[in-house]
Amino acid sequence: MSKSLTKREEDYSKWYNELVVKADLAENSAVRGCMVIKPYGYAIWEKMQAELDRMFKETGHQNAYFPLFVPKSLFEAEEKNAEGFAKECAVVTHYRLQNDPDNPGKLRVDPEAKLEEELVVRPTSEAIIWSTYKGWIQSYRDLPLLINQWANVVRWEMRTRLFLRTSEFLWQEGHTAHATKSEAIAEARQMQQVYATFAEEFMAMPVIKGVKSDSERFAGAEDTYTIEALMQDGKALQAGTSHFLGQNFAQAFDVKFTNKEGKQEYVWATSWGVSTRLIGGLIMTHSDDFGLVLPPKLAPIQVVFVPIYKGEDQLLLLSEKIQTYVQAFKKLGISVKYDDRDTLRPGAKFAEYELKGVPVRIAMGSRDLENNTVEVARRDTLSKESISQDNLVEYVSDLLEKIQVNLFDSALQFRNNHITLVNSFDEFKDVIENKGGFVAAHWDGTEETEEKIKELTKATIRCIPNDAIEEAGNCVFTGKPSSKRVLFAKAY
RNA sequence: CGGGAUGUAGCGCAGUCUGGUAGCGUACACGGCUGGGGGUCGUGUGGUCGCAGGUUCAAAUCCUGUCAUCCCGACCA
């Protein structure tokens, strides 16, 4: 393993890949396009899960679990959804292997064990869930039905990247059923807000809330609400989506309820999800050339102690002192690690925790014992200072909050500096090509224009922002009238 | 699927052109000196050279086939 990472400026993509592997978050597996999430990376996911799960429950949702497999006949019921995903589905056709008579010691698929009906490995669970909901919903009294599931899904991507796009990934998917259109829309918008709050408060990743254009909308949805984040290399990342599904799935799966007037109606639906892709976004929002930078609220280890000593006697003295602080931090719910390994020198440990993004590092040596001091280093600014031990716990507790805020503020400033208003197509191309980030431009609202712009610049409409200002303007490409600006960017 | 490249120790690589005892760095194990930013010295473990076949006295090296992976495209909520 080489000692330093590729610099972001040299090759951003290479930097990202190296960082994920060296920080011990994940690695490529024996299965093409699928990753192994290692304990440190999984710990971040668990922290994300815990918070999101809490937020879902607070907004009235319950968890359940549905099957991995979807019979093809169910999968194809909602046409647009099926069509949208058909190209990237893994399909189970057989249920048994047998010894291969031509190749001793090898197995082959038993040709006799062909399934009557193929099973699609879920790329998303609307189909299996809505076929189930049919049996759960009869009356308006059964509504709203507010369910979330934590699961894995498979999408056979041509090209994969750790966390950002893998063939199998972990996510949560909420699937709700409502009596009215307005209630369903409110639900979809509420979840968009939940995602935005999570991204900003916990990931310290600023996002823009908006709605997708027709061509970027989820297959089978009436509207897709999105949160869009901006990465350090100027590319946008779709960080979460919440869909208003109208009555499309209710019709496809014949899910009706009896309303208060005794009349049958189709239910209104939403679905919403975020995935392990968020970890990719987290990395590309904050990390630097020294490694990962984690916001304290999601860091598996928030504080690490590194002892500096000569000989075992000194280590014993230091350990005793450090253990009292470790206990004090734990009482406050701060996750702390004491690294007393004798196999590495302090400098190597410093580098390791920088690579792994631990927000606060505390070094304590014999000199500190004499002076009642410690050296506190923060990962976000890479600054260090020597402070008195007297207020260590309070100091670090405050510092963690400061780091969380600072990471968000820095990311917000970067993001805001990379939203550029343009009024001509030359300007548009120049900004996309040279500056990157979001370009706020007028658009005539047609798919043709969107497609042409994509061909020419590789930029797509990331969203029509919720807070877009109504203003008369002309499409940056066709010159046709437009009432508000939309955001374009190159995207992951 | 089109174009390019690569498979040799856990990881990163040299050796292949010109066939002749399997190498280096790192990691790992043990010991000494060390210890406030990636230490040092010594000893040691670890490889059917992707797989199959062929040529040869002899193949990591040459030939044929095959599999896999990576990169650039196409694809992608």
Side-chain angles (χ1 to χ4, degrees):
Chain A
M1 194 195 282
S2 71
K3 277 186 180 168
S4 58
L5 284 170
T6 296
K7 304 273 174 272
R8 286 170 294 178
E9 221 170 78
E10 276 169 37
D11 187 340
Y12 194 81
S13 177
K14 198 171 173 195
W15 165 83
Y16 174 85
N17 287 328
E18 280 183 13
L19 176 51
V20 169
V21 171
K22 288 186 176 174
D24 224 18
L25 300 174
E27 62 187 33
N28 277 307
S29 70
V31 191
R32 194 202 75 105
C34 296
M35 64 178 164
V36 173
I37 305 174
K38 298 188 75 178
Y40 192 61
Y42 201 79
I44 295 173
W45 179 237
E46 285 178 316
K47 286 223 152 193
M48 289 178 160
Q49 277 186 304
E51 187 52 39
L52 285 165
D53 202 62
R54 190 189 64 72
M55 293 170 97
F56 298 156
K57 283 170 182 162
E58 209 163 74
T59 44
H61 303 88
Q62 291 181 292
N63 286 330
Y65 188 79
F66 296 84
L68 170 68
F69 301 120
V70 186
K72 188 168 76 74
S73 58
L74 286 182
F75 186 76
E76 65 201 5
E78 209 293 326
E79 274 178 50
K80 281 186 183 150
N81 187 248
E83 200 186 307
F85 284 105
K87 297 184 297 295
E88 43 186 303
C89 285
V91 184
V92 179
T93 55
H94 292 74
Y95 58 85
R96 191 163 61 211
L97 298 171
Q98 61 179 191
N99 290 320
D100 185 345
D102 302 325
N103 270 310
K106 305 276 181 177
L107 294 171
R108 68 171 189 185
V109 172
D110 183 350
E112 302 294 308
K114 195 169 179 343
L115 288 170
E116 194 113 322
E117 179 179 4
E118 293 88 348
L119 296 173
V120 177
V121 178
R122 62 183 168 210
T124 180
S125 301
E126 275 79 4
I128 189 74
I129 287 179
W130 279 91
S131 74
T132 308
Y133 281 1
K134 180 175 166 56
W136 291 3
I137 297 168
Q138 276 84 39
S139 153
Y140 71 92
R141 293 193 177 95
D142 297 323
L143 299 172
L145 182 57
L146 305 172
I147 304 283
N148 175 63
Q149 93 164 340
W150 290 96
N152 58 341
V153 288
V154 170
R155 297 178 187 180
W156 213 262
E157 301 288 354
M158 302 298 278
R159 190 112 153 245
T160 59
R161 295 189 66 193
L162 294 170
F163 291 118
L164 294 174
R165 176 171 288 115
T166 47
S167 294
E168 180 195 18
F169 56 90
L170 305 184
W171 76 345
Q172 57 70 217
E173 47 182 328
H175 296 272
T176 69
H178 306 264
T180 65
K181 177 177 180 177
S182 63
E183 190 185 303
I185 291 176
E187 163 77 5
R189 287 201 171 274
Q190 171 185 246
M191 297 323 288
Q192 178 190 39
Q193 182 57 53
V194 164
Y195 288 155
T197 302
F198 173 76
E200 300 198 333
E201 287 186 9
F202 288 83
M203 298 175 66
M205 179 175 80
V207 294
I208 292 168
K209 287 172 288 183
V211 61
K212 286 291 187 185
S213 64
D214 293 2
S215 66
E216 296 277 331
R217 183 187 299 145
F218 176 77
E222 302 272 306
D223 262 319
T224 289
Y225 306 112
T226 181
I227 57 169
E228 298 285 326
L230 187 65
M231 305 294 103
Q232 296 165 345
D233 62 345
K235 286 168 83 173
L237 183 78
Q238 177 177 301
T241 46
S242 178
H243 316 290
F244 167 59
L245 301 173
Q247 294 175 310
N248 295 339
F249 284 89
Q251 285 171 11
F253 292 94
D254 194 36
V255 184
K256 291 180 194 160
F257 70 102
T258 308
N259 65 17
K260 283 182 187 169
E261 286 77 45
K263 289 197 176 127
Q264 294 266 300
E265 282 185 62
Y266 285 114
V267 302
W268 299 84
T270 81
S271 69
W272 28 275
V274 294
S275 72
T276 36
R277 176 181 244 204
L278 287 179
I279 297 176
L282 187 69
I283 295 165
M284 288 196 291
T285 300
H286 304 300
S287 302
D288 62 24
D289 290 345
F290 297 96
L292 195 58
V293 176
L294 291 173
K297 287 187 184 177
L298 294 177
I301 302 167
Q302 294 171 306
V303 177
V304 64
F305 272 97
V306 177
I308 296 161
Y309 58 93
K310 296 181 190 174
E312 253 182 59
D313 295 349
Q314 286 190 9
L315 178 59
L316 276 174
L317 282 175
L318 281 165
S319 290
E320 203 179 327
K321 190 81 181 179
I322 289 172
Q323 286 299 354
T324 65
Y325 289 119
V326 167
Q327 292 313 318
F329 279 123
K330 280 187 180 164
K331 258 187 204 149
L332 290 182
I334 294 171
S335 62
V336 53
K337 175 173 173 174
Y338 172 38
D339 186 351
D340 62 351
R341 285 178 297 175
D342 192 38
T343 47
L344 292 177
R345 301 175 91 209
K349 291 180 186 176
F350 294 170
E352 181 179 328
Y353 292 109
E354 268 156 25
L355 182 59
K356 298 187 97 172
V358 175
V360 174
R361 184 186 73 231
I362 303 174
M364 194 189 286
S366 304
R367 226 152 61 200
D368 293 305
L369 277 187
E370 281 169 29
N371 303 334
N372 192 42
T373 55
V374 282
E375 183 190 79
V376 177
R378 51 191 283 187
R379 179 63 184 89
D380 58 337
T381 58
L382 291 168
S383 60
K384 302 187 277 200
E385 64 180 316
S386 185
I387 65 157
S388 160
Q389 285 182 32
D390 293 341
N391 303 310
L392 178 61
V393 175
E394 294 73 17
Y395 180 89
V396 169
S397 178
D398 287 349
L399 184 57
L400 287 170
E401 278 171 41
K402 274 188 203 153
I403 292 172
Q404 182 81 29
V405 169
N406 178 51
L407 286 176
F408 179 75
D409 289 347
S410 309
L412 183 64
Q413 195 183 357
F414 177 86
R415 200 277 310 275
N416 288 344
N417 286 340
H418 286 81
I419 300 176
T420 312
L421 261 61
V422 309
N423 294 308
S424 76
F425 196 57
D426 283 339
E427 241 184 302
F428 185 107
K429 284 186 289 190
D430 179 57
V431 173
I432 289 289
E433 188 65 28
N434 299 312
K435 181 182 174 189
F438 293 111
V439 169
H442 280 282
W443 164 58
D444 64 16
T446 67
E447 248 178 85
E448 295 75 50
T449 301
E450 195 180 350
E451 183 56 35
K452 275 181 192 148
I453 291 176
K454 184 181 177 182
E455 264 172 47
L456 293 167
T457 66
K458 299 211 168 161
T460 50
I461 296 176
R462 300 324 303 155
C463 71
I464 302 151
N466 289 354
D467 58 5
I469 298 159
E470 293 285 332
E471 60 169 27
N474 298 92
C475 174
V476 76
F477 190 70
T478 62
K480 289 180 190 161
S482 147
S483 66
K484 55 186 156 188
R485 290 173 186 273
V486 302
L487 293 179
F488 288 85
K490 286 190 195 169
Y492 273 98

